[in-house]
Amino acid sequence: MKLKKLLCITPVLLLLAASAANAQSETSTLTKVKKEGVMKICYAQGSPESYKDPKTGEWLGVFVDLANELATWMKVKVQPVEVQWNTAVLSLKRGDCDFFGSSFVYNAPRALEVNFITPFRSKGLNAIIRKDNKKNLKKISDLDNPNVTIAVGLGSREYETGKRLFPKAKFLALQINSDVETLPPTQRGDADVTILPIININWWLQIPENAAWGKMAFPGEDFGNAPVGWAVRYGDQEWKDFLDQYVRWVQANDLVKHTYDEYMAKTNPFAKKQ
């Protein structure tokens, strides 16, 4: 997708360039990216922000499009670095990439380790539950029970939030490559619910075969709302400032909502490919 078609970007380019040129440090990631012509971006799979096309291996998604547009502005190439959610912080800190470009949810433990860029948006969580609801779970607080098992991705935002909000519950933390892999345990009955972002749940329930057995556990009662965006290593204010300015431009022009709407309209990563 070419975001530049939406509006004229020349004034923004000048602003970004002027700011970046002001006393840039030779040790800054911004300087390195400009010199090398390559921007390494860590991605973990999570629809609809960052996921791989199963046929081509190409990275797609809302945040991928935004990162690609930034790279086009900068006249540099993107080098995707695939990471797992439970190793994302480590990968960024040890320098595997220049920033983490998937939908990184703010929480205090993460913020102690990495520096969050101005968030693109906020989003909440909900849960998928079997339609038979054998344990008669009706309220969000019902999840905080030792007799309840919750399926989540290991190291994911859902895992951290769930452990914090429902400390009495049991957790089935799965090493996954895609959100959809946390759902079979709930379908089989190995877990009582699967926690996912609300946007993913709405997307997933559009598939008739999914809606045949599962439903949203708590309609209209999202929980764990938090800002989401990118992150960089601490100690490089110039790089953070540069990315912050880009995010402010994206926000000013409502491009996040536009791009989400576009992805929702044109594709569904949870649909089976023909």
Side-chain angles (χ1 to χ4, degrees):
M1 186 191 68
K2 294 295 185 180
L3 297 180
K4 65 180 65 178
K5 293 180 181 179
L6 296 173
L7 64 164
C8 178
I9 63 174
T10 302
V12 182
L13 282 171
L14 293 174
L15 175 62
L16 291 174
S19 175
N22 184 19
Q24 287 181 15
S25 168
E26 288 299 314
T27 60
S28 172
T29 300
L30 178 58
T31 302
K32 177 183 76 71
V33 169
K34 289 171 60 180
K35 285 184 176 180
E36 297 178 358
V38 176
M39 184 162 59
K40 297 180 180 178
I41 306 176
C42 280
Y43 289 126
Q45 295 215 52
S47 304
E49 291 86 6
S50 56
Y51 61 96
K52 294 177 75 173
D53 185 299
K55 292 184 178 180
T56 66
E58 179 187 5
W59 281 97
L60 303 170
V62 176
F63 284 17
V64 175
D65 280 4
L66 294 174
N68 288 343
E69 185 65 14
L70 175 61
T72 299
W73 286 15
M74 297 176 69
K75 298 182 179 180
V76 300
K77 295 180 180 180
V78 169
Q79 182 178 325
V81 179
E82 184 170 5
V83 301
Q84 301 296 321
W85 284 106
N86 61 317
T87 60
V89 169
L90 175 62
S91 297
L92 179 58
K93 290 183 67 176
R94 70 187 177 193
D96 293 350
C97 52
D98 300 315
F99 69 90
F100 184 81
S102 293
S103 179
F104 221 24
V105 176
Y106 172 86
N107 61 51
R110 280 179 177 169
L112 289 171
E113 302 295 329
V114 296
N115 202 358
F116 279 84
I117 301 302
T118 299
F120 286 110
R121 66 189 295 263
S122 295
K123 63 180 180 179
L125 301 174
N126 212 295
I128 289 289
I129 192 171
R130 287 174 57 92
K131 283 188 171 180
D132 56 24
N133 191 12
K134 293 181 178 180
K135 294 188 177 176
N136 198 31
L137 303 173
K138 295 182 178 181
K139 306 186 300 294
I140 294 173
S141 59
D142 290 342
L143 297 181
D144 194 23
N145 188 307
N147 294 320
V148 171
T149 299
I150 301 173
V152 291
L154 182 65
S156 68
R157 171 262 188 107
E158 296 77 46
Y159 181 58
E160 185 277 332
T161 303
K163 293 285 285 185
R164 178 164 45 84
L165 296 181
F166 316 120
K168 297 178 182 177
K170 297 176 183 176
F171 282 82
L172 183 58
L174 305 168
Q175 183 75 50
I176 60 172
N177 291 315
S178 175
D179 298 328
V180 72
E181 295 175 28
T182 62
L183 289 158
T186 296
Q187 183 178 17
R188 293 192 303 264
D190 299 337
D192 298 302
V193 300
T194 293
I195 294 178
L196 287 171
I198 184 65
I199 189 172
N200 299 56
I201 292 175
N202 288 331
W203 217 339
W204 184 83
L205 286 173
Q206 291 178 11
I207 310 303
E209 63 192 70
N210 298 336
W213 69 265
K215 65 179 182 178
M216 188 181 300
F218 314 107
E221 299 182 53
D222 303 345
F223 56 89
N225 289 280
V228 295
W230 296 339
V232 297
R233 290 178 289 278
Y234 276 110
D236 193 344
Q237 192 62 42
E238 293 175 7
W239 183 227
K240 182 180 186 303
D241 288 346
F242 180 81
L243 295 176
D244 280 339
Q245 289 185 57
Y246 176 66
V247 173
R248 292 188 186 102
W249 176 81
V250 169
Q251 292 173 332
N253 292 283
D254 205 20
L255 295 188
V256 172
K257 181 181 184 303
H258 172 87
T259 312
Y260 270 105
D261 289 346
E262 186 173 276
Y263 267 89
M264 292 291 284
K266 73 180 181 181
T267 185
N268 188 328
F270 296 122
K272 289 186 177 180
K273 307 300 181 182
Q274 302 298 322

